[in-house]
Structures are given as C-alpha cells and as structure tokens.
Amino acid sequence: MAKIKPQALLNQSKKKKGPSRISISTIIVCNLVVAVVILSLVTTYRHWSQRSRNTIEHETQSHRFEDTNTASEQKTYDLPGYADINTSKGLITVELFKEGSPEVVDKFLDLCQKDHFKGMPFHRVIKNYLVQAGHSPSSIPVEEWTAKGKLRGRLHIGPKHEAFMLGTPKNKGNNKDFELLITTAPIPDLNDQLIVFGRVLKGEDVVQEIEEVDTDEHYQPKSPIGITGVVLKREI
C-alpha cells in the first residue's frame, strides 16, 4: 500500500469542509423572536387572568345583590300583615299594605310594639265620612274634610279611597302624633293629605257603631270612645 506523504495529508485536510459559523445577526433575530413569543404569552396570561377576576367579582356582586333582595323580601314577608284593633265598641281586624305602603306600615308596627295606640281616643267622628283616633287634635281642619265630602259624588273614586280603608294624615311627621283614620264612605281626592296603608277585613259594624255616636259641633264624640290595644298577626 502506498504511503501518503505529509504534504498530501495537509492538502486533503484543507479540502474538508469545517462546521459553518452562525452569524451575529442570526442570533439577534432568534433572540427577538423568543422575546416576542414570551411577551405574547405573558400578555395573554394577564388578559385572561384579569378577565377571570372581573368575572368572579361580577358574580360575587350579583350574589350579594340577590342576597340583599332576598333578605329584604324575606323581611317584608316575615312582618305581620294583619292587626286586631280593640276598641271600646268592639274588635276591628285590618289588613296592612306591606308592599304598597312599607314605610308607614313599619312605623305602625313599631308603634304597636310600644303600645302607642293603647288608650288612644277617637277625637273626630264625621258621619258618612270617617272616624279618626289620635292623642292630639288633628292638624287638618274639619272644613277640609267636610268640603271634600261634599264633592264626593263628583270626583273619581280610586281603590284606596273606598269605604273602610285604614290611613293616617301625611302631615303627621313624628311618631307621637301618628293617628289612625278609618273611612266610612268612599273619599276621593285625598292623596295630598291621606296615606292609606290598610283596609278593614272584619268589624265594619264596629266602625259604623263608632260613626253613630253623638258628637258636638266640632265632630268630637260627647262620650269617650277609644282604642284599648292592638294585637299584630301574621295570619288570620
């Protein structure tokens, strides 16, 4: 076998191709691509993470709102819806409009628990119109009640102004002056002065008996008639 001369070996090694070198520009481009991919992943993660948090907060607020509404509805449902008004003439059972007049009903219930109506006299009785009870004289002049009574046949009658409705004057701003008023005939056009918050279910004959008592020229009963107590009920 023929020996290869050193010079020939050197020439052969020069002819062999060595590994190609990676240019700096290629390295920079690759690094930029990797950085863009990482930045895109981070941005996507933050977006979905924030969206998830917003969704959770919205659902939490919705649940809180629903819980508040449920609690409010439950509170209204649990309140007594009826009351037995005991008078010196007999018993009057009324239904309370918890949803129609919630603020007035709440005040009425609170005063019942404080025995506010115990011993309250009927200080105004207008035949074929109303009977009114209170601890102090009414601030509404008799002339206003009777004047509106004369217009009764010419004005529209709303459902809340039929006979045997339970109400209180609007201008009685504090608990001490809270009065009870029961109509004995349809009373129109009293929205500016009267808040209706209930109706008589039983005891219309008792209301009519109170209405029939003798009164003086100021429509005040000549003999004492009053409320002896009020018992609240959730059902009748």
Side-chain angles (χ1 to χ4, degrees), residues 13 25 65 128 169-170 173 176 196 206 214 216 234:
S13 64
S25 60
F65 181 73
N128 297 323
K170 283 185 176 180
K176 183 178 179 181
V196 175
V206 176
D214 293 333
D216 59 20
R234 285 187 170 81

Side-chain angles (χ1 to χ4, degrees), residues 188-208:
D189 199 32
L190 285 180
N191 290 326
D192 294 336
Q193 295 181 348
L194 181 65
I195 301 176
V196 175
F197 66 95
R199 65 188 180 97
V200 176
L201 293 181
K202 300 177 182 178
E204 293 94 338
D205 56 330
V206 176
V207 177
Q208 291 173 336

Side-chain angles (χ1 to χ4, degrees), residues 65-179:
F65 181 73
E66 291 175 359
D67 291 342
T68 301
N69 287 342
T70 302
S72 178
E73 292 175 358
Q74 185 67 26
K75 180 182 177 181
T76 301
Y77 177 78
D78 290 340
L79 292 175
Y82 306 91
D84 282 343
I85 302 175
N86 294 287
T87 74
S88 53
K89 292 291 186 179
L91 179 65
I92 303 171
T93 301
V94 297
E95 177 188 8
L96 305 175
F97 298 154
K98 296 189 295 183
E99 296 182 358
S101 305
E103 294 181 2
V104 179
V105 170
D106 285 346
K107 183 181 292 187
F108 173 78
L109 296 176
D110 180 62
L111 292 174
C112 287
Q113 295 174 350
K114 297 177 180 178
D115 288 334
H116 172 77
F117 302 104
K118 187 175 182 179
M120 176 180 283
F122 286 94
H123 60 74
R124 178 173 292 171
V125 175
I126 305 177
K127 191 173 182 179
N128 297 323
Y129 204 63
L130 57 83
V131 297
Q132 187 174 0
H135 287 299
S136 59
S138 176
S139 61
I140 302 177
V142 175
E143 293 76 12
E144 291 195 27
W145 294 113
T146 55
K148 289 182 179 296
K150 293 176 182 179
L151 296 174
R152 191 164 56 220
R154 292 177 289 175
L155 295 175
H156 174 70
I157 304 297
K160 281 192 174 183
H161 299 133
E162 293 292 343
F164 302 109
M165 306 303 290
L166 176 69
T168 188
K170 283 185 176 180
N171 57 353
K172 293 293 183 180
N174 54 62
N175 293 343
K176 183 178 179 181
D177 294 332
F178 193 96
E179 297 180 348

